[in-house]
Amino acid sequence: MESKRELRRRMGLLRATWPAEQQARWSRAIGEHLLALPVVAAARTVFTYISVAGEPDTHELIGQFLASGRTVAVPWMVEGGRAMEAGRIGGLDECVATAASHGIAQPRDFKPLAGPPDIALVPGVAFTAGGLRLGRG
C-alpha cells in the first residue's frame, strides 16, 4: 500500500504536468457545478479555503458568494499553526499570507463565525471514490 507521503508526492508531480489553461477550465467547471447544487444554492453561510497554486481556484467563488449576500468564512490559523478556526471576511482584500499561516492567505483581523457554516469547501491532494480526503499535511 502506498504511503500518504508517497501519494502526496506523486499527486504533486501529476499536478505539475497540467497546463495552467486546463487548470483554469477545470476550476471554472468545478465552480459552475458547485453553484448549481441545491445545497450550495440554499447555503447562507459558507466556509471555504482560499486557493493556492495547484488547487481549484476559489477566488471567484468567494466573490460570488459575497456578492449574493452570503456570509463567508475562511481558515484562520490559531497561534502556533496547529489548529484553525473559521474567520469571517467581507472580501479577499481583508486577507494576507504570513509565515504563521504557512504562506496561505487568512484574515488580517479575526472575526469569528457565529455558529456552524451551512457548507464547507475543503481542498485535498487526492480523494477516494468514497469521498475520503488526503490533505497536504
Side-chain angles (χ1 to χ4, degrees):
M1 182 171 184
E2 192 170 22
S3 73
K4 288 181 179 181
R5 176 175 283 167
E6 178 56 27
L7 184 56
R8 284 184 186 103
R9 187 191 71 73
R10 191 165 56 86
M11 292 295 104
L13 292 172
L14 178 61
R15 273 194 317 273
T17 68
W18 298 334
E21 303 80 28
Q22 182 61 51
Q23 289 185 46
R25 281 193 297 276
W26 287 335
S27 285
R28 282 191 300 277
I30 290 167
E32 290 169 5
H33 179 74
L34 281 170
L35 292 172
L37 293 172
V39 68
V40 175
R44 300 307 309 148
T45 304
V46 178
F47 177 73
T48 184
Y49 65 99
I50 299 175
S51 57
V52 297
E55 295 176 334
D57 191 339
T58 58
H59 294 93
E60 187 174 324
L61 274 175
I62 290 169
Q64 290 176 330
F65 289 141
L66 290 166
S68 67
R70 300 175 201 198
T71 299
V72 174
V74 297
W76 184 79
M77 298 299 293
V78 175
E79 193 167 328
R82 300 299 293 162
M84 65 179 69
E85 294 186 26
R88 288 182 295 114
I89 61 169
L92 288 172
D93 59 333
E94 297 177 8
C95 301
V96 63
T98 67
S101 64
H102 305 286
I104 299 170
Q106 68 173 16
R108 273 188 204 90
D109 300 309
F110 180 66
K111 297 177 276 191
L113 186 61
D118 296 321
I119 61 168
L121 305 179
V122 295
V125 172
F127 295 86
T128 67
L132 297 176
R133 171 188 171 270
L134 175 65
R136 290 185 183 264

